[in-house]
Amino acid sequence: LRISCDGTMITVYLPNEGRGFPLDDRPPSPPEDIFIYSFEDLPEKYWKKYQYATKFVQLVKSKTPKVTLYTKYAKCMLMENSPNADLEVCFYDGAKTHKTSEFLRVIEKTGKSYTLKGDVGLNGLSEESRSYVELSNEGHRTCLALEVAITAEEKRSETKDPFFPIIVGRRPTNPDSLSLPAQEPKASGKEQSLAEGVVLGCSTSPSQPPHITPSMISYDGSVFTTASLSKSNTTSSAKREATPNTGKVVKSVFVPNIGWASQLTSGEVWVQFNDGSQLMVRTGASSIIYTSPQGHTTRYSENEKLPECVKEKLQCLSSILLLLANPARQH
């Protein structure tokens, strides 16, 4: 199939009398016996091939820069797949952002990544990632303005020569550009941990990510009892801490009517409930850490009596572990 630039005319032929043709930079010349169809008249047997061609063109457009802008901190690339074109921003310090019509992905210079879907805001991002997103948005606005201005000039041009792709600016030679602008002081631990609940996906690259095995969670009367969630090398000193050590998030899942559940690099399971409370289950130890909506944190050992509010939270823990072990169960 040879498809015109606007997609309305399709030429169908067999190159080299049906014996195939070696790949080349240019398509083979069509023979005399060709079939030319309009988009409306294309036979059904060619519809799937036309769809494949459309998807391929869109993929190429999403990776082909139309407007490239060098700012003080990053290289911003607005792609060809308009409307709602993709935006890729490569920061000089090694971080990246990728924005599409469906999601926003932030990759910090350490390799840790966040993926946001929908209009959830930036509350789930670290301060560093927020700075990357804000700078990306600023570059995005400039790229869109450049696209509008250059398109207008292109239409007024008498020569009808294409003006795109365009490159504006150049990478600065000043080493200070590798650093982001000064950031505001970070929020308190509780505020930051609660905010992280809106992140749809958060990943990092630990040497050996811990494996979560769904365990038998139960409570006999008011006494908490649990089997081991997974094997862990958690030190005894860490087990004695009353304040949760959140570590880094490996993955997060949203549990309807409950809140957010996260698997940490330490192997712990961290649940952030919709009412503002939190629950941390420590691996390799029969204990839990509960934070009330008011921010009061309490650790309960295996044989301690649990308040009713904590017992209610534990009821949904088994289903949460199953979702973390197999996120596909969400759908």
Side-chain angles (χ1 to χ4, degrees), residues 217-235:
I217 303 292
S218 64
Y219 51 94
D220 182 11
S222 58
V223 178
F224 171 77
T225 59
T226 178
S228 176
L229 289 174
S230 64
K231 293 183 179 180
S232 172
N233 294 326
T234 307
T235 62

Side-chain angles (χ1 to χ4, degrees), residues 59-329:
L59 175 62
V60 172
K61 284 185 175 181
S62 68
K63 299 297 181 182
T64 303
K66 183 178 183 180
V67 178
T68 300
L69 170 68
Y70 286 92
T71 70
K72 183 178 180 181
Y73 303 104
K75 175 184 177 182
C76 307
M77 293 170 286
L78 184 69
M79 303 303 173
E80 291 274 5
N81 60 327
S82 57
N84 301 321
D86 289 14
L87 178 79
E88 291 189 13
V89 181
C90 300
F91 290 87
Y92 306 139
D93 64 358
K96 294 182 180 180
T97 64
H98 182 199
K99 183 179 182 181
T100 72
S101 59
E102 298 179 351
F103 66 86
L104 168 66
R105 179 171 292 120
V106 183
I107 305 176
E108 296 180 349
K109 56 188 176 183
T110 59
K112 185 176 182 180
S113 67
Y114 298 86
T115 301
L116 300 173
K117 293 184 179 180
D119 187 16
V120 297
L122 306 181
N123 291 333
L125 299 179
S126 65
E127 290 295 327
E128 182 179 15
S129 291
R130 291 187 197 184
S131 297
Y132 291 134
V133 173
E134 290 168 359
L135 290 172
S136 298
N137 290 338
E138 183 179 341
H140 194 188
R141 288 190 292 269
T142 304
C143 287
L144 291 174
L146 287 169
E147 181 187 29
V148 171
I150 299 300
T151 299
E153 289 299 323
E154 187 180 46
K155 291 179 179 179
R156 286 195 291 265
S157 174
E158 297 180 356
T159 62
K160 303 302 179 182
D161 292 330
F163 286 14
F164 295 99
I166 63 169
I167 300 176
V168 179
R170 62 180 178 180
R171 176 169 176 161
T173 57
N174 184 1
D176 293 339
S177 298
L178 296 177
S179 302
L180 293 181
Q183 301 175 3
E184 296 180 359
K186 292 186 177 180
S188 65
K190 173 175 167 48
E191 292 173 350
Q192 186 170 352
S193 62
L194 291 176
E196 290 178 359
V198 301
V199 179
L200 282 185
C202 176
S203 63
T204 183
S205 302
S207 56
Q208 279 190 330
H211 175 69
I212 289 187
T213 304
S215 62
M216 298 300 295
I217 303 292
S218 64
Y219 51 94
D220 182 11
S222 58
V223 178
F224 171 77
T225 59
T226 178
S228 176
L229 289 174
S230 64
K231 293 183 179 180
S232 172
N233 294 326
T234 307
T235 62
S236 58
S237 60
K239 294 176 186 176
R240 290 194 298 268
E241 294 174 358
T243 303
N245 180 16
T246 56
K248 293 183 179 180
V249 176
V250 176
K251 59 182 175 181
S252 298
V253 295
F254 178 72
V255 186
N257 302 320
I258 295 177
W260 285 89
S262 303
Q263 173 190 355
L264 308 183
T265 53
S266 58
E268 296 165 334
V269 177
W270 175 29
V271 185
Q272 301 165 88
F273 295 92
N274 291 332
D275 63 0
S277 62
Q278 301 181 45
L279 192 66
M280 180 81 74
V281 179
R282 291 184 174 274
T283 60
S286 299
S287 64
I288 61 172
I289 295 177
Y290 174 73
T291 302
S292 69
Q294 293 74 33
H296 303 298
T297 300
T298 307
R299 175 185 169 183
Y300 298 95
S301 60
E302 181 175 1
N303 296 318
E304 282 190 67
K305 191 172 182 178
L306 299 179
E308 289 297 323
C309 60
V310 179
K311 288 163 59 178
E312 291 177 2
K313 305 297 183 185
L314 288 174
Q315 286 181 335
C316 56
L317 197 53
S318 293
S319 59
I320 290 174
L321 292 173
L322 288 173
L323 284 176
L324 282 171
N326 184 13
R329 291 176 177 263

